[in-house]
Amino acid sequence: MNIEKAIDKLKEKGYKRTKQRERILEIFSEQDQGYIPAKTILKEIQKDFPGVSYDTIYRNLYLLAEEQVLESTELDGEKHFRFHCDTHGHHHHFICTGCGKTKAVEFCPMDKIAQSLDGYAVDDHKFEIYGKCPGCL
Amino acid sequence: MNIEKAIDKLKEKGYKRTKQRERILEIFSEQDQGYIPAKTILKEIQKDFPGVSYDTIYRNLYLLAEEQVLESTELDGEKHFRFHCDTHGHHHHFICTGCGKTKAVEFCPMDKIAQSLDGYAVDDHKFEIYGKCPGCL
DNA sequence: TATTTAATTGTAATGGTTACGATTAGATAC
DNA sequence: GTATCTAATCGTAACCATTACAATTAAATA
């Protein structure tokens, strides 16, 4: 996901282009290999905008996730975000517990189990693999 | 999982049998169809032990999870617990977002993707399906 | 430049979880 | 039964991520 493309997407919906929002997107594009905790985004953006508030961080992260610019997950009780992968189809992630980097896993188990959930309404699912990547081993 | 069996398991490791711990196990056996948030355990146990502390609840839940008497997951940023299913093999769960009840799904995607994670050390994985059960639909 | 409305700031509240010193109560040995 | 040892509990406060909100600022558009 490209920054300009993301900003255009927001613009179409009436959201404004702000320095803070732009900076948040930059942070993700500089480090787009894994999930980043909200806390890290805050620290990073404070280097440029010392007075940035929690509200700004969370509002933007949630908005960006809502608009599918980012995707999110919860690790150790903390919300993490990364650019949404739109280069290929639906997939899942191996997540390195050392550095946070992810590796796409091109397999979704939902196809295999659809019939076993007859009578149930499936809204969502989560499939994540945790461990250490080659670099952290 | 049976209460006495669980207590015996703890006894072997030098953990004592206490009224509070016993009550926690009872609560799970009375309602063993789904995940229960820690908060609910606290409320429930307070009916019998009004002065029970957070420390007692969390210490016991974590101990029981450690000893594989319970299994845990995090839903909406809250830790949830249920009896560990040991009647059949490794499996996953559909979790009803309405009532918390679960349905076992006898399929684990890890077998299918082992070779795609060559060079990675897999420590853990999570596969959960969320939606509404027939009763909540 | 004026106007409109989204966005940000500053700060406080919330809520689940964790921590800890003092006290209590199982378990075991005598 | 009593003494002793140590796990367990209690009471309370701290911690920390997240959420909330009124007042202010700043994009966007005309």
Side-chain angles (χ1 to χ4, degrees):
Chain A
M1 176 70 79
N2 165 294
I3 295 180
E4 286 305 322
K5 210 169 132 192
I7 288 176
D8 286 350
K9 190 170 183 175
L10 294 181
K11 199 168 187 175
E12 277 169 29
K13 299 230 178 168
Y15 298 112
K16 295 173 180 172
R17 172 182 204 131
T18 67
K19 296 186 190 72
Q20 294 88 338
R21 189 168 285 163
E22 205 166 350
R23 183 72 192 109
I24 288 175
L25 288 165
E26 263 175 41
I27 291 166
F28 281 104
S29 78
E30 286 163 11
Q31 164 69 42
D32 71 331
Q33 303 195 54
Y35 281 103
I36 309 176
K39 189 177 24 180
T40 304
I41 302 294
L42 180 68
K43 276 189 206 152
E44 196 58 32
I45 205 174
Q46 277 179 334
K47 294 176 187 170
D48 296 288
F49 303 90
V52 76
S53 80
Y54 290 104
D55 200 286
T56 298
I57 301 304
Y58 284 104
R59 186 171 16 77
N60 277 301
L61 291 176
Y62 291 163
L63 170 67
L64 292 168
E66 181 87 11
E67 296 300 325
Q68 309 225 11
V69 172
L70 300 180
E71 52 188 283
S72 67
T73 192
E74 198 153 334
L75 302 169
D76 293 318
E78 266 186 275
K79 291 185 174 82
H80 288 58
F81 298 83
R82 57 162 292 151
F83 261 126
H84 184 74
C85 323
D86 57 356
T87 47
H88 45 331
H90 174 75
H91 61 279
H92 294 279
H93 287 119
F94 169 94
I95 301 172
C96 179
T97 51
C99 65
K101 284 185 187 166
T102 60
K103 176 180 161 53
V105 170
E106 307 292 340
F107 174 79
C108 177
M110 292 310 287
D111 318 322
K112 302 283 177 190
I113 60 159
Q115 75 281 7
S116 72
L117 289 172
D118 226 35
Y120 290 75
V122 172
D123 296 325
D124 199 6
H125 67 283
K126 183 171 191 168
F127 174 37
E128 286 177 347
I129 304 140
Y130 312 103
K132 295 281 188 294
C133 71
C136 285
L137 277 172
Chain B
M1 175 70 80
N2 166 293
I3 295 181
E4 286 305 322
K5 212 170 132 190
I7 287 176
D8 285 352
K9 191 171 183 176
L10 294 180
K11 199 169 188 175
E12 276 169 29
K13 299 228 179 171
Y15 297 111
K16 295 172 180 172
R17 172 181 205 134
T18 67
K19 294 185 191 73
Q20 293 87 339
R21 188 168 286 164
E22 204 166 349
R23 182 73 191 109
I24 288 174
L25 288 166
E26 263 174 41
I27 291 166
F28 281 105
S29 76
E30 286 163 10
Q31 164 69 40
D32 71 331
Q33 302 195 56
Y35 281 104
I36 309 176
K39 190 179 20 180
T40 304
I41 302 294
L42 180 69
K43 275 189 207 152
E44 195 58 34
I45 205 174
Q46 277 179 335
K47 293 176 187 169
D48 296 287
F49 304 90
V52 75
S53 79
Y54 291 103
D55 199 288
T56 298
I57 301 303
Y58 284 105
R59 187 171 15 78
N60 277 301
L61 292 176
Y62 290 162
L63 171 67
L64 291 168
E66 181 87 12
E67 295 301 325
Q68 309 222 9
V69 172
L70 300 180
E71 53 188 283
S72 67
T73 192
E74 198 153 333
L75 302 169
D76 292 319
E78 266 187 276
K79 291 184 174 83
H80 289 58
F81 298 84
R82 55 163 294 154
F83 262 126
H84 184 74
C85 324
D86 58 357
T87 47
H88 46 329
H90 172 75
H91 62 279
H92 295 279
H93 286 119
F94 169 93
I95 301 173
C96 180
T97 51
C99 65
K101 284 185 186 167
T102 60
K103 174 178 163 53
V105 170
E106 309 291 341
F107 174 78
C108 178
M110 292 311 287
D111 319 323
K112 301 285 177 189
I113 62 159
Q115 75 281 6
S116 72
L117 289 172
D118 226 34
Y120 290 75
V122 172
D123 296 327
D124 199 7
H125 66 283
K126 183 171 192 167
F127 174 35
E128 286 176 348
I129 303 139
Y130 312 103
K132 296 281 187 294
C133 72
C136 286
L137 277 173

